[in-house]
Amino acid sequence: MSSSTLTVTDNRTGKTYDVPIEDGTVRAMDFRQMKTGTDDFGLMLYDPAFMNTASCRSSITYIDGDRGILEYRGYPIEQLAENCTFLEVAYLILFGELPTQTQLDHWVYEITHHTMLHETTKKFMESFRYGSHPMTMLISTVAALSTVYPCATNVHDPASRLLQIKRLIAKMPSIAAMSYRHSLGFPYVYPDNELSYTENFMNMLWKMVEPKYAANPVLARALEVLFILHADHEQNCGSSVMRAVGSSLASPYLAIASAASALSGPLHGGANEEVIRMLDEIDSKADIPAYVESVKRGKRKLMGFGHRVYKNFDPRATLIKKIAEQVFGVTGQNPKLEIALELERIALQDDYFISRKLYPNVDFYSGLIYQAIGFKPEMFTVLFAIPRTVGWLAQWQEMIVDPAQKIARPRQIYTGSRQRQVVPIAERDAVEVTA
Ligand code: CMC
């Protein structure tokens, strides 16, 4: 018997099965053969929230949560943040290798020349209610792009996939900036092809009457590094949604809108906005112990703390603290930083957080930087969605070409009633129901 097997004895039948172990994993389908009789469906695995289920093979992003390691295509995040531009990292994540200068120049040219939005998309955005949340405008508008590019459903055509990938990476900042300006009632600013990806984004956000927008280089680089840190994070909630929706062969614009919807929640990318609201609520250092006590009593969560995978530290949070210093050197310190540092200090000494391995995650400090750069809290999750689009697209592409993948379709353990008879409406007894 191979040592790379798991021997399972089904005590209901006394039968023994050898299940292969590959890459530290057993296949759920190998358990289906374990039946009590011919009518039995066979054993399934129950794993709510996919706590211990690998849904794919992937060569994009490696995370070692216990050691705080994050690598894109094998390159440590620290080196990429130090040496690369965002579009260089996007190329790496999507195509597997760092580009040469010629390849990068071509890639940057291609992305830069897809940043414009169709005028009908602009009109679509104009119809949003004044004060709409920028993240929901972004999600709806990306979904609406599926009407502009109906051929995008040709997902098995590599050339079509590449075109949609370029369009989406290029257009996300344009949509994001338009949603921001719409929420302020400002006229939209068209892209400037002479600027870098982040400089152009800043141009579309903040250009007013000046003939040419000049971004502060420190802030533009800080945004670039933040984009690099957020570009992919393997099978998180949003990426899993991207793969699941994409697995039905839906338009990538709709899959991206779905992934962005998942990201918008406060337990995922929406946490960065919630952190700032939490720091506003805490108000002063003196209020921190009472706030931490209320967290420990289960009244609320400490937003920006904890992670499903990182159980030691989030390497992105460590890098973000460094960026914060550079940004505050230009903008002046965000007054909430002191509260955040003290909150972190108190939490990291407290047994509640130590025993549960809860550490600051990527969202704990990113909001402070975004706010110092000049973003409203409503924009924070949008700033997460722009770079994460690269990761979503890489995950989507990998899923589409993987012969092992099919339409995503989990199983359930049915717990409801069976075989009831419909009673005519006049004869029914009222039963109190809850949602
Ligand atoms: N504050 C207080 N308690 C917490 C927190 C928190 N932020 N996070 C987890 N816990 C507790 C949780 O109540 C549970 O306690 P107990 O064992 O007594 O029931 C224990 O720690 C384990 O937590 P969990 O909910 O089982 O962990 P999870 O892996 O399901 O959740 C998480 C991960 C990120 C959703 C969660 O830590 C959380 O809600 N954090 C706050 C929101 C946040 O910052 N999200 C951003 C995540 S990083 C960026 C991203 O993914 O987009």
Side-chain angles (χ1 to χ4, degrees):
M1 188 196 314
S2 158
S3 59
S4 298
T5 57
L6 174 74
T7 301
V8 179
T9 302
D10 186 341
N11 292 323
R12 300 170 304 171
T13 59
K15 283 189 187 161
T16 295
Y17 304 83
D18 286 330
V19 176
I21 300 176
E22 204 181 336
D23 298 325
T25 322
V26 289
R27 281 184 175 259
M29 281 304 286
D30 284 341
F31 286 74
R32 187 71 73 73
Q33 60 181 314
M34 300 173 195
K35 300 180 179 194
T36 51
T38 46
D39 286 349
D40 186 359
F41 182 75
L43 271 188
M44 294 191 297
L45 307 182
Y46 177 54
D47 188 11
F50 309 114
M51 298 283 289
N52 196 34
T53 296
S55 64
C56 62
R57 290 174 172 277
S58 182
S59 60
I60 302 170
T61 292
Y62 174 80
I63 300 177
D64 182 332
D66 292 328
R67 294 190 180 84
I69 295 173
L70 169 61
E71 294 170 1
Y72 298 154
R73 302 285 188 182
Y75 292 98
I77 190 69
E78 294 80 5
Q79 286 188 34
L80 296 169
E82 179 76 30
N83 299 301
C84 299
T85 64
F86 170 67
L87 285 184
E88 206 175 341
V89 173
Y91 185 101
L92 169 72
I93 289 174
L94 283 156
F95 306 114
E97 297 296 337
L98 282 167
T100 61
Q101 190 62 54
T102 312
Q103 288 169 323
L104 180 62
D105 291 346
H106 180 67
W107 173 241
V108 170
Y109 179 92
E110 289 286 301
I111 299 297
T112 306
H113 288 80
H114 280 292
T115 49
M116 288 286 277
L117 292 168
H118 201 278
E119 280 297 293
T120 55
T121 303
K122 195 177 115 184
K123 292 205 176 77
F124 176 86
M125 295 201 73
E126 278 165 2
S127 66
F128 282 116
R129 187 173 183 270
Y130 177 78
S132 301
H133 195 289
M135 189 62 184
T136 45
M137 282 192 268
L138 177 90
I139 292 166
S140 313
T141 308
V142 177
L145 285 188
S146 61
T147 66
V148 182
Y149 305 111
C151 295
T153 47
N154 194 6
V155 298
H156 289 306
D157 175 5
S160 171
R161 281 203 306 271
L162 182 57
L163 180 58
Q164 314 319 324
I165 285 171
K166 287 177 193 164
R167 281 178 174 152
L168 273 157
I169 294 171
K171 292 181 202 307
M172 284 298 263
S174 308
I175 300 172
M178 277 194 185
S179 66
Y180 177 73
R181 299 204 45 123
H182 181 85
S183 69
L184 294 173
F186 291 164
Y188 304 140
V189 173
Y190 287 92
D192 181 340
N193 285 0
E194 289 177 4
L195 300 176
S196 75
Y197 191 79
T198 46
E199 286 169 341
N200 176 45
F201 179 45
M202 294 165 89
N203 159 65
M204 292 187 290
L205 287 165
W206 292 313
K207 183 170 182 292
M208 296 307 273
V209 292
E210 66 273 37
K212 180 106 182 151
Y213 180 80
N216 179 298
V218 176
L219 302 186
R221 179 63 198 163
L223 200 54
E224 184 112 16
V225 176
L226 285 164
F227 279 6
I228 291 171
L229 301 184
H230 286 86
D232 190 52
H233 215 232
E234 51 119 309
Q235 309 312 315
N236 53 75
C237 181
S239 302
S240 304
V241 167
M242 181 78 196
R243 281 178 174 261
V245 176
S247 76
S248 76
L249 310 185
S251 161
Y253 297 93
L254 298 175
I256 290 278
S258 309
S261 305
L263 186 75
S264 71
L267 298 188
H268 197 0
N272 53 17
E273 188 178 334
E274 295 302 321
V275 170
I276 287 294
R277 302 208 188 287
M278 174 181 80
L279 296 177
D280 278 343
E281 195 184 328
I282 291 176
D283 195 40
S284 84
K285 279 193 197 176
D287 297 338
I288 293 176
Y291 195 91
V292 170
E293 279 309 310
S294 72
V295 170
K296 287 163 64 178
R297 284 200 307 274
K299 294 236 175 295
R300 46 168 60 103
K301 277 191 162 174
L302 196 53
M303 299 312 285
F305 259 68
H307 199 277
R308 173 64 61 78
V309 182
Y310 294 121
K311 299 297 176 194
N312 183 341
F313 65 94
D314 182 338
R316 301 168 301 173
T318 312
L319 290 164
I320 280 178
K321 269 177 111 170
K322 285 191 197 153
I323 304 167
E325 283 167 25
Q326 294 157 13
V327 168
F328 297 155
V330 174
T331 63
Q333 188 172 304
N334 188 324
K336 295 191 187 74
L337 177 68
E338 276 192 22
I339 294 179
L341 287 168
E342 182 65 1
L343 187 56
E344 180 186 356
R345 193 188 65 78
I346 290 180
L348 293 185
Q349 288 177 355
D350 193 304
D351 190 53
Y352 175 94
F353 298 93
I354 296 169
S355 62
R356 289 171 178 78
K357 299 188 173 180
L358 301 173
Y359 297 87
N361 59 48
V362 70
D363 292 318
F364 192 67
Y365 286 104
S366 62
L368 290 173
I369 305 178
Y370 293 144
Q371 197 172 47
I373 293 178
F375 292 102
K376 295 190 302 177
E378 293 80 13
M379 274 301 280
F380 294 177
T381 314
V382 169
L383 296 168
F384 197 151
I386 294 170
R388 184 53 60 84
T389 298
V390 168
W392 291 329
L393 290 165
Q395 300 286 344
W396 170 71
Q397 159 102 348
E398 190 175 61
M399 180 275 303
I400 293 279
V401 300
D402 181 351
Q405 291 294 337
K406 291 167 178 272
I407 185 165
R409 207 312 185 175
R411 294 278 175 179
Q412 64 169 6
I413 303 171
Y414 179 67
T415 59
S417 314
R418 295 283 326 276
Q419 302 281 314
R420 299 208 286 179
Q421 303 298 318
V422 175
V423 176
I425 193 160
E427 296 167 28
R428 287 177 207 159
D429 294 327
V431 180
E432 203 154 306
V433 291
T434 50

